[in-house]
Amino acid sequence: LIKDKNKNIVGEYTTDSDGYIELENDLEEGKYYAEEIQAAPGYIRDTQERTFRVKRGETTEIVWENTAQYGQIQVIKKSKDYNSINGLPAGTLLQGATFEIYDKAQNVVDTVVSNERGLAISKLLPLGRYTIKETKAPKYYGVSGETFEAEIEFASQIVRLEVLDESVYTNVVIGKSGPKQVTPGMQMKWTISRVANNSSIRLTSFYWRDNLPYQAVQLDKIVTGTYNTRIPYKVVYKTNFNQTPRTLADNLDPSVNRVLQATPTALGLKSGEAVTQIMFIFGTVPSGFRMVDNAYIYGTVRKSASGSSFVNKADVGGLNDSQQWIMSNDAWTTTIYRAPTYKKPTLPTTGW
């Protein structure tokens, strides 16, 4: 509202989409008063009256700053059902769930985590409509796949939402077997079996890995095995000279059983360099993912192999929705047999 020096109303004006009011020809030279009678939606009205002067040939500018009206979003996190792992009943308030809050432009305006009372409390937010997504669930629970909406309609309003998470079962498995006894120079074979995601949820970054006793055995080749889900995968390896994974094969069809040559010559290894680890990388696998045909790892026992035995270790794992590793492992011990050295006996001297 604009008034002249005698407080007579000159006119009522509204800011445009850029926040401006421009009065080029409406005001004559002199003293005026300006008063905000209604703030923009979501902001608090400034009640202070301002004084300004209009001078011929000059531009007079008044900057008016409004404080936004704020409210808050509170998410209550509860267990949807009985959890057989931690024993918590349905309705239990859960700590450790993470939520992201987005404005109408889908910008993240806050990230909140539920406390020991199951409450995830946002900072003060301007009036408006928001969407909320759970990005991390508490341990032994799955992330809710729903997108929730909340609208803060007036100052100091607290909008409360209740989000329920279902309990999850997580389990992965791998089997490892091989010969019980070998001799130096002998070719041997290990079997990788039962690789599976037995969890009730999908797992990300899923892999199985074999750590080779490279000082006792040289890797020769790998038979990949087959898998029940059409997820292309790759095989990488590390060596005693280089711990950075190098790709042996990529974009492999899980339904095809392939033989991958992995001798030092086939891999172009340096003198004295040996493969210490191989890893099958699948990415995201669904619940029920499993191996169909076993995988095999072939190697040659080094003639210089020392000691009475060596251990071959394999493990499998993946990340759940809470970014926790679900892992399992197995191992196989093989004994090195060395034939006793025969020493010709000294016979007594007889005859003439």
Side-chain angles (χ1 to χ4, degrees):
L1 194 67
I2 305 296
K3 303 176 184 177
D4 63 18
K5 64 180 181 179
N6 299 317
K7 295 294 183 83
N8 298 313
I9 295 176
V10 174
E12 183 178 310
Y13 307 89
T14 303
T15 54
D16 61 20
S17 58
D18 295 321
Y20 285 92
I21 296 173
E22 295 185 0
L23 305 174
E24 295 183 1
N25 304 313
D26 292 13
L27 304 181
E28 297 179 352
E29 196 172 26
K31 179 180 178 181
Y32 292 90
Y33 299 92
E35 177 187 354
E36 184 177 46
I37 56 175
Q38 180 177 316
Y43 291 85
I44 300 172
R45 183 173 72 90
D46 187 338
T47 59
Q48 181 181 359
E49 187 178 62
R50 311 291 174 88
T51 303
F52 66 96
R53 290 186 176 274
V54 174
K55 295 182 180 180
R56 191 179 307 277
E58 296 182 7
T59 298
T60 301
E61 184 179 84
I62 303 174
V63 178
W64 219 291
E65 295 184 353
N66 290 97
T67 301
Q69 293 179 308
Y70 292 100
Q72 197 174 59
I73 296 172
Q74 294 184 0
V75 182
I76 305 170
K77 165 58 65 174
K78 291 182 179 181
S79 173
K80 186 175 182 178
D81 54 8
Y82 170 75
N83 191 306
S84 60
I85 300 176
N86 58 24
L88 297 178
T92 300
L93 297 172
L94 300 176
Q95 182 177 5
T98 302
F99 298 88
E100 287 185 346
I101 300 175
Y102 302 82
D103 61 17
K104 62 182 180 181
Q106 291 303 300
N107 299 309
V108 177
V109 294
D110 201 7
T111 300
V112 294
V113 181
S114 61
N115 58 24
E116 66 279 359
R117 295 181 295 136
L119 280 177
I121 303 172
S122 77
K123 64 183 180 183
L124 293 177
L125 298 170
L127 306 191
R129 184 178 294 275
Y130 298 89
T131 55
I132 301 97
K133 296 178 183 177
E134 184 178 11
T135 58
K136 183 179 179 181
K139 192 174 182 180
Y140 308 127
Y141 291 88
V143 170
S144 172
E146 294 184 66
T147 298
F148 303 90
E149 292 191 355
E151 184 173 5
I152 303 174
E153 300 179 283
F154 54 86
S156 302
Q157 181 184 13
I158 297 176
V159 180
R160 291 185 173 88
L161 304 172
E162 184 175 289
V163 179
L164 303 178
D165 277 354
E166 292 184 350
S167 59
V168 297
Y169 170 75
T170 53
N171 173 265
V172 294
V173 65
I174 189 170
K176 179 77 186 202
S177 61
K180 293 183 178 180
Q181 189 177 76
V182 294
T183 58
M186 169 184 171
Q187 187 179 66
M188 62 174 295
K189 178 180 72 174
W190 287 292
T191 301
I192 301 292
S193 60
R194 308 196 319 273
V195 173
N197 173 25
N198 295 324
S199 308
S200 60
I201 57 171
R202 70 173 191 171
L203 295 178
T204 61
S205 302
F206 189 85
Y207 73 91
W208 71 257
R209 174 173 55 191
D210 193 89
N211 294 290
L212 295 161
Y214 70 96
Q215 293 175 327
V217 180
Q218 172 196 287
L219 177 64
D220 291 334
K221 64 181 179 180
I222 304 165
V223 178
T224 61
T226 61
Y227 306 86
N228 70 336
T229 306
R230 287 193 169 275
I231 301 173
Y233 67 95
K234 70 177 179 178
V235 180
V236 299
Y237 66 96
K238 295 181 181 180
T239 73
N240 56 331
F241 286 6
N242 190 346
Q243 288 300 296
T244 301
R246 285 180 274 180
T247 300
L248 177 58
D250 200 355
N251 200 32
L252 295 176
D253 185 339
S255 65
V256 178
N257 207 350
R258 295 189 59 182
V259 177
L260 306 177
Q261 297 299 328
T263 62
T265 300
L267 298 179
L269 302 184
K270 299 176 182 178
S271 176
E273 189 175 16
V275 176
T276 59
Q277 183 187 97
I278 59 172
M279 188 173 184
F280 283 52
I281 301 174
F282 294 88
T284 300
V285 299
S287 171
F289 172 85
R290 63 180 178 83
M291 174 182 277
V292 178
D293 296 309
N294 294 338
Y296 299 98
I297 300 170
Y298 289 84
T300 300
V301 182
R302 298 185 188 277
K303 292 182 179 180
S304 61
S306 60
S308 59
S309 65
F310 56 85
V311 179
N312 179 244
K313 298 178 180 179
D315 64 288
V316 64
L319 288 168
N320 65 10
D321 290 336
S322 301
Q323 297 301 296
Q324 298 164 331
W325 281 104
I326 310 302
M327 302 178 71
S328 182
N329 59 75
D330 199 4
W332 185 266
T333 301
T334 301
T335 301
I336 301 174
Y337 173 77
R338 291 181 179 275
T341 303
Y342 177 76
K343 184 178 180 181
K344 186 177 180 180
T346 301
L347 301 174
T349 303
T350 60
W352 301 100

